[in-house]
């Protein structure tokens, strides 16, 4: 049986890339029965009479998967956030980073629309970028309008499956249009009344750019920590995990425990206060989560 990779899912059809051909497939009923949903990025076994009538028979084991956006086998997540319009949000970025870290996907932070910033905003973004770099993250500052920083993205895309993710209206589609102009992806301006962008991407699709594949995903503005347990959250903040080695008590959650290495690092300025505050807020959110049955 032939094998291929799902590169697009739309209206109940899965488009499987096989030897440079795109085969339109449906999922077998057994998937629904077993509560398996084929995802973009899945390696699959399929059968097909022609390019329009195929059936997915088996979904191969995944190395990772995301729920929102729904995609599997991702090498890295390029988290696209605008400097302004909408304003840069550390709390939203940290939510994305926690989800990505928990799924063992390498994150790359891309801050866009730098051409729209004034000197004060530019300085503020530069400070944030340095703080995230200190935490161990790669940060690239870009502008689709002037194409500044775009050349820094290219080496990260080569021979990888990357997911572009971020809030609506931050400029993901604009970045992709610069990386591959023939795409001509639809982009919408920010609503000045609402202060946020309209959804311009309606489905998940892997797009070939150079020797890599990039998933442009529907924009969204909230993430829930449905599968992360309280004791795992520390590992989703690299600098908190590092500082936790100095905690006196094993299993320290860095909130009320005495002689906590993380709280000491916050007090000394080694860990930015906002990162620690987000950790505490996320921890409480996880603790308050209704149990799943």
């Amino acid at each position: 049986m032939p094998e291929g990779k799902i590169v697009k899912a739309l209206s109940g059809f899965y488009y499987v890339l096989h030897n440079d051909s795109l085969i339109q497939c449906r999922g077998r009923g057994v998937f629904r029965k077993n509560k398996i949903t084929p995802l973009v990025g899945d390696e699959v076994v399929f059968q097909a009479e022609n390019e329009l009538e195929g059936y997915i028979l088996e979904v191969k084991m995944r190395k990772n998967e995301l729920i929102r956006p729904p995609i599997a086998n991702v090498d890295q997540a390029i988290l696209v956030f605008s400097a302004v319009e909408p304003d840069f949000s550390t709390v939203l970025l940290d939510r994305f980073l926690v989800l990505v870290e928990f799924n063992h996907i390498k994150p790359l932070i891309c801050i866009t629309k730098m051409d729209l910033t004034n000197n004060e905003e530019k300085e503020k973004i530069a400070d944030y970028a340095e703080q995230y770099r200190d935490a161990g993250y790669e940060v690239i500052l870009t502008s689709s309008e002037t194409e500044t920083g775009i050349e820094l993205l290219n080496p990260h895309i080569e021979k990888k499956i990357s997911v572009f993710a971020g809030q609506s209206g931050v400029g993901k589609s604009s970045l992709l249009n610069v990386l591959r102009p023939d795409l001509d992806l639809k982009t919408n301006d920010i609503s000045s009344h609402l202060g946020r962008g309209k959804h311009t991407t309606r489905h998940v699709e892997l797009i070939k750019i150079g020797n890599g594949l990039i998933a442009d995903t529907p924009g969204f503005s909230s993430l829930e920590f449905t599968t992360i347990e309280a004791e795992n959250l520390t590992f989703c903040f690299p600098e908190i995990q590092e500082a936790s080695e100095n905690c006196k008590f094993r299993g320290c959650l860095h909130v009320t425990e005495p002689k906590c290495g993380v709280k000491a690092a916050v007090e000394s300025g080694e860990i930015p206060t906002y990162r620690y505050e987000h950790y505490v807020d996320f921890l409480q959110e996880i603790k308050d989560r209704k149990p799943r049955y």
Side-chain angles (χ1 to χ4, degrees):
M1 288 292 180
E3 297 184 11
K5 184 194 298 290
I6 298 176
V7 295
K8 180 179 175 181
L10 184 64
S11 302
F13 289 101
Y14 302 98
Y15 297 84
V16 178
L17 185 64
H18 172 70
N19 293 340
D20 293 326
S21 295
L22 210 55
I23 315 297
Q24 180 177 281
C25 296
R26 287 191 179 274
R28 293 287 298 272
V30 68
F31 291 136
R32 285 192 296 276
K33 184 179 177 183
N34 295 332
K35 296 184 178 178
I36 297 172
T37 302
L39 296 175
V40 168
D42 272 334
E43 299 288 343
V44 297
V45 178
F46 69 96
Q47 65 178 27
E49 296 296 323
N50 52 59
E51 291 189 354
L52 295 176
E53 297 178 55
Y55 285 91
I56 293 173
L57 305 178
E58 179 189 346
V59 175
K60 297 282 193 177
M61 186 176 291
R62 297 165 178 159
K63 69 177 181 181
N64 56 47
E65 68 178 272
L66 294 172
I67 297 170
R68 296 178 61 192
I71 188 169
N73 301 318
V74 176
D75 294 309
Q76 68 179 351
I78 301 175
L79 304 180
V80 184
F81 278 71
S82 54
V84 291
E85 297 183 19
D87 291 340
F88 182 69
S89 168
T90 57
V91 66
L92 190 56
L93 173 57
D94 286 348
R95 293 184 80 88
F96 273 86
L97 285 170
V98 165
L99 184 71
V100 168
E101 292 278 6
F102 182 72
N103 284 281
H104 307 291
I105 297 170
K106 182 182 178 183
L108 169 65
I109 300 169
C110 177
I111 303 177
T112 64
K113 302 188 183 180
M114 290 302 295
D115 58 295
L116 300 180
T117 57
N118 58 36
N119 289 337
E120 184 181 340
E121 291 163 340
K122 200 177 261 84
E123 191 174 318
K124 188 177 179 182
I125 294 298
D127 286 344
Y128 278 132
E130 209 51 48
Q131 288 162 8
Y132 279 99
R133 288 183 186 118
D134 288 343
Y137 294 110
E138 183 102 29
V139 184
I140 296 175
L141 307 182
T142 67
S143 164
S144 299
E145 191 67 30
T146 64
E147 300 192 10
T148 304
I150 301 298
E151 73 285 353
L152 300 176
L153 272 177
N154 288 320
H156 294 281
I157 294 168
E158 284 292 294
K159 297 180 180 177
K160 291 188 179 78
I161 293 182
S162 307
V163 55
F164 263 39
Q167 188 181 12
S168 297
V170 296
K172 298 188 297 295
S173 296
S174 297
L175 267 181
L176 286 170
N177 283 337
V178 174
L179 288 165
R180 194 181 134 184
D182 65 297
L183 286 174
D184 196 25
L185 295 173
K186 184 182 177 185
T187 60
N188 279 341
D189 292 333
I190 297 296
S191 163
S192 58
H193 178 64
L194 295 174
R196 60 176 183 261
K198 300 172 185 177
H199 294 277
T200 54
T201 311
R202 299 297 177 185
H203 62 275
V204 180
E205 179 175 358
L206 286 175
I207 299 165
K208 188 169 175 60
I209 293 182
N211 291 317
L213 292 168
I214 291 184
D216 186 23
T217 64
F220 50 96
S221 57
S222 67
L223 292 163
E224 296 178 1
F225 305 130
T226 54
T227 58
I228 302 175
E229 301 303 330
E231 59 270 20
N232 295 328
L233 187 61
T234 292
F235 304 107
C236 300
F237 286 78
E239 74 275 44
I240 289 179
Q241 181 183 358
E242 184 178 346
S244 71
E245 295 175 7
N246 298 318
C247 294
K248 182 176 181 181
F249 299 102
R250 190 175 180 182
C252 179
L253 291 179
H254 326 304
V255 181
T256 58
E257 299 88 344
K259 298 185 179 178
C260 170
V262 171
K263 287 190 286 185
V266 175
E267 288 170 13
S268 69
E270 292 174 53
I271 295 176
T273 303
Y274 66 88
R275 284 278 285 173
Y276 175 69
E277 288 174 348
H278 296 164
Y279 166 83
V280 173
D281 288 346
F282 297 166
L283 184 67
Q284 192 60 51
E285 183 179 327
I286 290 168
K287 287 179 176 179
D288 291 343
R289 185 179 64 208
K290 292 180 181 178
R292 290 176 294 144
Y293 298 102

